[in-house]
């Protein structure tokens, strides 16, 4: 891929669920615990996993066929969230390649941060339990009045790193991530290693669609080193 004239990022911002971390196992366990207590059969994991980036809305929709605003949704949401809070990081792990990616960004002198729609009551304990405590900033779904796809969370994250939004790149596995990043003026990366949901990532209009964390590190390294070489030659 060509990186010769691509402006180098000053920081990389990441979505959490399905981008940095595989949290689907614990999200699925929370919904199926609720079903078990009600005497219902569990929803198959392969049905739940693709909806993990949508949190309670995705899990309840896949398991019960009920959407926000419909009768019965709020009690299900509250029960699901209570179950999840009690067992946040039993099986949740960083995706393969993410630790090396984050180490590589640090070696390049690039800060990185987390911008998620997960509420702070879950985000704050989770990032420490799964190895993300070195994040330069953590913006949760209730940090700002509007969650993604609104750009407000990303526009809040950049100043916390003492950067302009346009100098940051945003990486996510959901259409809302790309919409938010574009609205914030950031370069956007769709990560195909995540959950991605029902909408084909090729249709998201991200600047890049990458298959692995290693491919992202290769892209960022190439852009940063190319810019440094241009500066030395100037």
């Amino acid at each position: 891929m060509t990186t010769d004239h691509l402006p180098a990022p000053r920081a990389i911002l990441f979505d959490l669920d399905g981008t940095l971390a595989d949290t689907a196992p614990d999200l699925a366990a929370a919904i199926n615990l609720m079903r078990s207590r009600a005497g219902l059969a569990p929803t198959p994991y392969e049905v739940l996993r693709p909806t993990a980036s949508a949190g309670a809305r995705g899990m309840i929709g896949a398991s019960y066929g009920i959407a926000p605003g419909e009768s019965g949704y709020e009690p299900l949401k509250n029960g699901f969230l209570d179950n999840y809070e009690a067992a946040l990081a039993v099986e949740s792990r960083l995706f393969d390649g993410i630790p090396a990616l984050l180490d590589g960004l640090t070696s390049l002198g690039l800060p990185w941060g987390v911008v998620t729609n997960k509420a702070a009551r879950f985000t704050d304990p989770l990032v420490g339990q799964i190895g993300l405590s070195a994040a330069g900033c953590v913006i949760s779904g209730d940090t700002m009045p509007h969650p993604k796809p609104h750009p407000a969370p990303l526009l809040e994250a950049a100043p916390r790193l003492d950067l302009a939004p346009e100098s940051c790149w945003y990486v996510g596995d959901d259409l809302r991530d790309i919409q938010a990043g574009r609205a914030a003026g950031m370069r956007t990366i769709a990560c195909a290693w995540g959950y991605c949901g029902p909408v084909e990532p090729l249709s998201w209009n991200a600047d890049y669609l990458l298959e692995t964390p290693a491919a992202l590190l290769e892209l960022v390294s190439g852009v940063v080193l190319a810019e440094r070489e241009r500066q030395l030659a100037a």
Side-chain angles (χ1 to χ4, degrees):
M1 64 184 61
T2 301
T3 61
D4 291 347
H5 302 293
L6 185 62
R10 300 292 178 260
I12 310 295
L13 299 172
F14 295 92
D15 173 51
L16 180 57
D17 300 79
T19 299
L20 289 172
D22 185 4
T23 55
D26 290 324
L27 290 163
I31 200 79
N32 277 331
L33 176 58
M34 192 162 60
R35 291 182 64 87
S36 175
R37 288 172 173 169
L40 301 173
T43 301
Y45 180 65
E46 58 269 22
V47 173
L48 294 170
R49 181 178 173 83
T51 72
S53 287
R57 174 174 56 85
M59 290 284 125
I60 293 169
S63 188
Y64 289 89
I66 299 175
E70 294 182 354
S71 176
Y73 179 83
E74 286 303 316
L76 290 172
K77 175 183 175 182
N78 293 335
F80 165 74
L81 294 178
D82 287 345
N83 289 347
Y84 182 56
E85 186 174 27
L88 278 169
V90 177
E91 295 187 50
S92 293
R93 301 288 186 272
L94 299 182
F95 281 108
D96 289 345
I98 290 296
L101 166 61
L102 299 180
D103 287 346
L105 295 179
T106 300
S107 296
L108 289 168
L110 295 181
W112 56 272
V114 177
V115 182
T116 176
N117 274 1
K118 187 189 291 290
R121 71 186 261 211
F122 313 112
T123 306
D124 291 345
L126 181 62
V127 294
Q129 292 181 54
I130 61 174
L132 297 174
S133 57
C137 68
V138 176
I139 307 296
S140 297
D142 49 1
T143 301
M144 303 299 290
H146 304 286
K148 300 174 295 182
H150 197 284
L154 291 170
L155 296 175
E156 175 68 14
R160 292 196 185 190
L161 299 175
D162 295 321
L163 294 168
E166 59 269 20
S167 67
C168 301
W169 290 11
Y170 188 51
V171 185
D173 74 311
D174 191 272
L175 173 60
R176 293 170 303 168
D177 299 324
I178 306 308
Q179 291 171 330
R182 291 173 65 88
M186 298 181 181
R187 193 166 295 276
T188 57
I189 312 294
C191 62
W193 66 83
Y195 305 135
C196 294
V199 182
E200 171 56 51
L202 284 172
S203 71
W204 297 354
N205 293 319
D207 292 295
Y208 290 93
L209 173 62
L210 300 179
E211 296 291 332
T212 64
L216 175 57
L217 182 58
E218 179 182 2
L219 172 64
V220 174
S221 298
V223 172
V224 169
L225 295 177
E227 182 173 279
R228 291 175 182 174
E229 289 177 0
R230 290 197 299 271
Q231 291 173 344
L232 288 174

